[in-house]
């Protein structure tokens, strides 16, 4: 098999990644969490990730060392959540201080849709190359994709913006580069600095909003976007310090890998768009922020979930006991994600006085807050579980179930819509359980 660039032996870079693994299954989970898939393992002549992981020196480590090695991924998960949630809140505060709340609600859909897909595409290419032990090539190719995708996404936002194109366009000009840059920073380093920057900008934006300084949230958004791009540039230069630094277009394999991520993001985005256009304007911002929070918390929740599942296997219990524990924890985390999304949606709705916006939607606000929001949170968590196990096509199927369920509850009769959504939720939970009960998911 021929490659465009010389391929570095991946074991040299992956050895440090699995150094704290207690066995080959643990090493497999760590590799898959870092983006190394079965397809990548086959490119190096192995049947799947597990057979490749068996060739890496995990060593015999103590339980204490294994717990310490889990601390870093857990912290990184929370840092990613801080960055994503802070960015979304700053955009909402900046928009709310520039235009009326109705215009902000209308801008939520194009900004959220384009940001999600752009981040998924850039991240997919970056993680694939890192999984192949080619971080420099990953930085160059993901940077090229970001340079092409961000202008296209900005044009799409302007086409969907309607009124207030100038304000929405300016926000998109800051928001979309931030999304692409934070995806690269998450993969290639400087995440702690970015999280500190995002938290500081959020505090400034919130203070300005409460104090009536209408310019401060916008200034915070500018600082966050510029600072994130600077950090991404620094990460890029450090990662590509050896060899050529110029961005390079993704190749066919990169596009193939990112196509699955794009399809999954598009299906999930379509479900969110259907939900947002079916509710009143007053419910759009709360529903969007509830969905963002659920997505942001998936990283730390999934790390904690994996740690707890691996802890079950170290107790030496029978498989039936382990399986029961896995099922119970899977259902608990799915319910927790739905509860967080629903509670956040209701809290934001009350804080923004959503009933002050007279525009009514196809479905009532109660259905949006207590049915659609928790369902989106549950689907998001189930998708995260599936992706962590390396089942990209499984995540596409779950996104399709999400779209079917949301279409049913928003366009069919109440009884029939509830029945279809319930069936989709049950199928999603069953798919998540099937995934997590496979030892390689841990």
């Amino acid at each position: 098999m021929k490659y465009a660039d010389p391929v570095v032996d991946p074991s040299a870079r992956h050895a440090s990644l699995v150094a704290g693994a207690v066995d080959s299954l643990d090493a497999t989970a760590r590799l898959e969490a870092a983006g190394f898939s079965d397809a990548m393992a086959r490119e190096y002549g192995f049947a799947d990730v597990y057979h490749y992981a068996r060739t890496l020196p995990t060593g015999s480590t103590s339980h204490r060392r294994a717990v310490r090695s889990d601390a870093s991924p857990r912290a990184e998960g929370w840092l990613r959540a801080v960055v994503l949630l802070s960015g979304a809140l700053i955009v909402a505060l900046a928009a709310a201080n520039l235009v009326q709340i109705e215009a902000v609600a209308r801008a939520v859909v194009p900004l959220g849709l384009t940001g999600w897909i752009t981040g998924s595409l850039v991240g997919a290419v970056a993680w694939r190359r890192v999984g192949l032990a080619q971080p420099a090539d990953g930085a160059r190719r993901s940077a090229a994709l970001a340079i092409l995708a961000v202008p296209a996404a900005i044009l799409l936002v302007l086409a969907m913006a309607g009124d207030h194109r100038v304000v929405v366009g300016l926000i998109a000009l800051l928001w979309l580069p931030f999304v692409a840059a934070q995806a690269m920073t998450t993969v290639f380093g400087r995440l702690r600095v970015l999280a500190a920057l995002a938290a500081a900008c959020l505090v400034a934006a919130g203070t300005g909003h409460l104090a009536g300084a209408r310019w401060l949230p916008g200034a915070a958004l500018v600082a966050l976007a510029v600072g994130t791009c600077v950090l991404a540039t620094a990460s890029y230069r450090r990662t590509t310090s050896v060899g050529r630094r110029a961005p390079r277009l993704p190749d066919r394999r990169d596009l193939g890998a990112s196509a699955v991520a794009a399809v999954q993001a598009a299906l999930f985005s379509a479900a969110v768009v259907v939900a947002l256009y079916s509710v009143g304007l007053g419910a759009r911002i709360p529903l969007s922020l509830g969905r963002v929070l659920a997505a942001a918390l998936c990283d730390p929740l999934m790390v904690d979930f994996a740690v707890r599942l691996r802890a079950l296997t170290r107790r030496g219990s029978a498989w039936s006991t382990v399986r029961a524990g896995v099922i119970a924890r899977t259902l608990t985390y799915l319910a927790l994600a739905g509860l967080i999304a629903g509670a956040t949606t209701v809290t934001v709705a009350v804080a923004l006085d959503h009933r002050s916006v007279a525009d009514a939607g196809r479905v009532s606000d109660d259905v949006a807050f207590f049915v659609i929001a928790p369902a989106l949170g549950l689907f998001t968590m189930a998708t995260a579980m599936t992706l962590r196990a390396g089942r990209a096509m499984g995540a596409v199927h779950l996104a399709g179930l999400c779209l079917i369920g949301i279409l049913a509850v928003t366009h069919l009769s109440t009884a029939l819509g509830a029945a279809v959504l319930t069936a989709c939720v049950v199928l999603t939970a069953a798919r998540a359980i099937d995934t997590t009960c496979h030892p390689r998911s841990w």
Side-chain angles (χ1 to χ4, degrees):
M1 183 175 294
K2 295 181 180 179
Y3 296 88
D5 292 328
V7 179
V8 179
D9 180 8
S11 62
R13 296 185 182 275
H14 289 156
S16 60
L17 181 65
V18 302
V22 295
D23 53 26
S24 296
L25 290 176
D26 191 8
T28 302
R30 291 167 184 258
L31 289 170
E32 289 177 335
F36 194 85
S37 64
D38 288 341
M40 298 176 189
R42 286 192 289 271
E43 292 185 17
Y44 288 107
F46 297 92
D48 51 31
V49 181
Y50 175 72
H51 286 83
Y52 170 68
R54 292 178 62 183
T55 67
L56 299 178
T58 59
S60 57
T61 55
S62 66
H63 176 71
R64 179 184 300 177
R65 181 177 177 183
V67 171
R68 279 205 309 267
S69 66
D70 284 328
S72 179
R74 183 177 290 175
E76 289 184 0
W78 283 109
L79 291 175
R80 286 191 290 267
V82 168
V83 171
L84 180 59
L85 185 59
S86 297
L89 289 174
I90 291 171
V91 167
L93 290 174
N97 282 273
L98 293 174
V99 294
Q100 295 179 340
I101 191 67
E102 290 86 351
V104 177
R106 289 188 174 92
V108 159
V109 175
L111 288 173
L113 174 66
T114 54
W116 191 355
I117 295 178
T118 300
S120 298
L121 289 174
V122 175
V125 172
W127 281 118
R128 178 182 183 273
R129 288 289 171 172
V130 169
L132 288 171
Q134 300 172 353
D137 209 32
R140 294 167 58 207
R141 295 180 187 271
S142 58
L145 183 59
I147 292 172
L148 295 175
V150 168
I154 292 174
L155 292 176
L156 182 59
V157 169
L158 290 174
M160 300 173 62
D163 298 333
H164 304 286
R165 272 196 175 89
V166 174
V167 174
V168 174
L170 288 175
I171 293 175
L173 197 60
L174 298 169
W175 163 248
L176 291 169
F178 160 76
V179 170
Q182 69 84 24
M184 293 186 62
T185 306
T186 297
V187 178
F188 300 113
R190 309 297 176 99
L191 181 59
R192 292 182 181 274
V193 180
L194 177 57
L197 172 65
C201 290
L202 178 59
V203 170
T207 303
H209 180 73
L210 295 176
R214 299 169 62 89
W215 60 271
L216 195 52
L221 178 58
V222 172
L224 178 62
V226 173
T228 305
C229 290
V230 170
L231 290 175
T233 302
S235 299
Y236 178 89
R237 292 178 63 85
R238 183 179 63 179
T239 307
T240 60
S241 58
V242 178
R244 293 170 292 178
R245 283 187 170 179
R248 185 177 182 184
L249 290 175
D251 63 12
R252 180 172 53 85
R253 292 189 182 92
D254 292 322
L255 295 177
S258 61
V260 177
V263 171
Q264 185 263 335
L267 288 173
F268 225 127
S269 298
V272 175
V273 168
V274 169
L276 292 177
Y277 277 121
S278 299
V279 302
L281 285 177
R284 286 187 185 179
I285 295 177
L287 191 60
S288 299
L289 290 180
R291 165 68 184 86
V292 168
L293 181 62
L297 291 181
C298 273
D299 257 342
L301 287 178
M302 277 308 305
V303 173
D304 185 72
F305 179 69
V307 170
R308 293 179 184 276
L309 291 191
R310 288 198 294 271
L312 283 174
T313 64
R314 295 169 185 154
R315 297 174 184 172
S317 304
W319 168 241
S320 59
T321 303
V322 173
R323 179 181 174 84
V326 170
I327 294 174
R329 283 162 175 77
T330 301
L331 295 176
T332 298
Y333 276 75
L334 290 175
L336 181 61
L339 180 63
I340 290 173
T344 303
T345 303
V346 173
T347 302
V348 175
V350 173
L352 294 180
D353 190 15
H354 68 99
R355 298 189 186 279
S356 63
V357 181
D359 182 78
R362 182 188 295 271
V363 299
S364 66
D365 288 352
D366 289 340
V367 173
F369 298 157
F370 299 106
V371 177
I372 294 178
L376 289 176
L378 182 145
F379 282 116
T380 301
M381 189 64 188
T383 302
M385 292 177 176
T386 307
L387 287 174
R388 182 178 178 87
R391 301 183 179 184
M393 286 306 300
V396 173
H397 297 157
L398 294 185
L401 285 175
C402 178
L403 178 58
I404 293 172
I406 298 301
L407 280 171
V409 80
T410 55
H411 288 76
L412 299 180
S413 63
T414 303
L416 185 58
V420 173
L421 179 62
T422 301
C424 290
V425 168
V426 171
L427 288 174
T428 297
R431 191 65 177 266
I433 289 173
D434 176 69
T435 299
T436 55
C437 281
H438 196 294
R440 282 179 52 194
S441 303
W442 307 347

